C-alpha cells in the first residue's frame, strides 16, 4: 500500500536517511556513525516497510558486525517507533526476562493507562541464554502473548489501562478485554 513507493532518486533517499541519522544522533545517548551505502539504504527501506506492515516482524541474518542492529535501530527511528531491548547480565534470570516482557507488553497493549505505543523489540541471538526465552519469543510472534505471564494484579492493571478503549471497540467483560489487549500487543509489537 502506502509503503510500497518506488525510490527513483537514490541521492534523495541518501539525503533523507543521512538527515534521519543526524536526528537520531542528536537525540540518542549513543550516536551511531554509519556509512549509508546503497545496499544499507535498501535494507533500511525494507525494514521500515516490514515495521509499517500490520503485525510485521523480521529476522535479520548476517555475520556479526555487519550492522544488523544499527540498521534496525535506524529503521525503527525512521518509522517513528519506540525501541525496546533487554540488557543481559550474568545474573539475568527468567524472572528478569518475564518482568521485561511484562513491561513491554503493558506499553504496546495499552495496559499502562497510556495510549499503546508502536514498538520494535530488538532481540539478538546472544540475548537468548535460556531456551525458554526462545519459546516465549515464539509465543509473542504467534499469539501476541506469553502464557501465564500476567498474575491477577497485572490483569487488573490491564483492565484499568485499556478497559475504556476495549469498551469503545465493543468488548465487554474481562475475557474480551484481555483478548483486546492481546490483539493490541500483536498490532503494536514488532520483533
Amino acid at each position: 500500500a502506502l509503503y510500497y513507493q518506488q525510490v527513483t532518486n537514490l541521492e534523495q533517499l541518501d539525503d533523507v536517511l543521512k538527515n534521519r541519522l543526524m536526528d537520531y544522533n542528536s537525540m540518542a545517548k549513543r550516536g551511531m556513525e554509519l556509512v549509508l551505502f546503497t545496499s544499507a539504504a535498501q535494507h533500511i527501506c525494507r525494514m521500515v516497510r516490514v515495521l509499517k506492515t500490520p503485525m510485521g516482524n523480521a529476522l535479520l541474518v548476517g555475520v556479526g558486525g555487519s550492522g544488523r542492529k544499527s540498521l534496525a535501530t535506524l529503521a525503527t527511528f525512521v518509522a517513528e517507533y519506540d525501541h525496546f531491548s533487554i540488557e543481559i547480565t550474568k545474573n539475568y534470570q527468567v524472572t528478569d526476562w518475564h518482568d521485561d516482557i511484562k513491561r513491554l507488553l503493558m506499553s504496546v497493549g495499552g495496559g499502562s493507562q497510556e495510549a499503546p505505543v508502536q514498538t520494535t523489540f530488538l532481540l539478538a541471538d546472544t540475548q537468548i541464554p535460556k531456551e525458554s526465552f526462545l519459546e516465549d519469543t515464539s509465543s509473542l510472534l504467534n499469539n501476541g502473548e506469553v502464557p501465564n505471564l500476567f498474575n491477577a494484579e497485572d490483569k487488573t492493571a490491564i483492565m484499568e489501562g485499556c478497559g475504556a478503549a476495549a469498551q469503545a471497540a465493543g468488548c465487554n467483560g474481562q475475557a474480551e478485554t484481555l483478548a483486546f489487549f492481546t490483539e493490541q500487543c500483536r498490532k503494536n509489537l514488532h520483533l
Side-chain angles (χ1 to χ4, degrees):
L2 178 66
Y3 308 107
Y4 279 92
Q5 296 177 0
Q6 184 173 352
V7 174
T8 56
N9 186 340
L10 290 177
E11 290 177 11
Q12 185 180 8
L13 173 64
D14 190 49
D15 289 342
V16 167
L17 290 178
K18 283 180 181 174
N19 286 335
R20 296 300 287 163
L21 179 59
M22 286 186 343
D23 291 345
Y24 174 83
N25 287 337
S26 69
M27 294 171 31
K29 293 177 190 172
R30 265 193 203 152
M32 296 186 293
E33 292 185 29
L34 299 178
V35 176
L36 296 175
F37 49 91
T38 303
S39 182
Q42 290 171 339
H43 284 306
I44 292 169
C45 290
R46 286 183 195 108
M47 284 185 253
V48 170
R49 186 176 68 228
V50 168
L51 292 173
K52 289 289 193 172
T53 302
M55 297 185 227
N57 300 292
L59 174 65
L60 307 179
V61 180
V63 296
S66 61
R68 291 170 299 185
K69 183 177 178 182
S70 299
L71 294 182
T73 300
L74 183 56
T76 297
F77 185 77
V78 169
E80 298 180 347
Y81 288 178
D82 281 359
H83 170 271
F84 183 88
S85 60
I86 58 172
E87 188 70 36
I88 298 290
T89 62
K90 81 177 181 182
N91 296 328
Y92 195 85
Q93 297 296 321
V94 174
T95 55
D96 300 313
W97 166 257
H98 283 163
D99 290 344
D100 285 339
I101 298 301
K102 277 184 191 180
R103 192 166 33 93
L104 171 64
L105 292 178
M106 292 298 262
S107 170
V108 299
S112 60
Q113 297 188 342
E114 296 177 14
V117 178
Q118 292 278 345
T119 302
T120 302
F121 180 19
L122 292 180
L123 183 65
D125 58 341
T126 57
Q127 295 175 308
I128 305 174
K130 298 187 183 334
E131 190 173 322
S132 65
F133 292 14
L134 193 57
E135 293 168 3
D136 291 345
T137 303
S138 176
S139 183
L140 280 173
L141 285 166
N142 291 320
N143 308 321
E145 65 181 345
V146 174
N148 303 317
L149 181 66
F150 296 111
N151 60 29
E153 186 177 307
D154 297 325
K155 289 179 182 177
T156 300
I158 291 169
M159 295 294 291
E160 291 172 6
C162 68
Q167 280 186 329
C171 301
N172 297 312
Q174 182 178 15
E176 287 184 14
T177 301
L178 292 175
F180 174 83
F181 171 79
T182 300
E183 191 59 30
Q184 291 301 304
C185 291
R186 290 186 74 208
K187 287 179 183 176
N188 297 320
L189 177 61
H190 305 273
L191 279 123

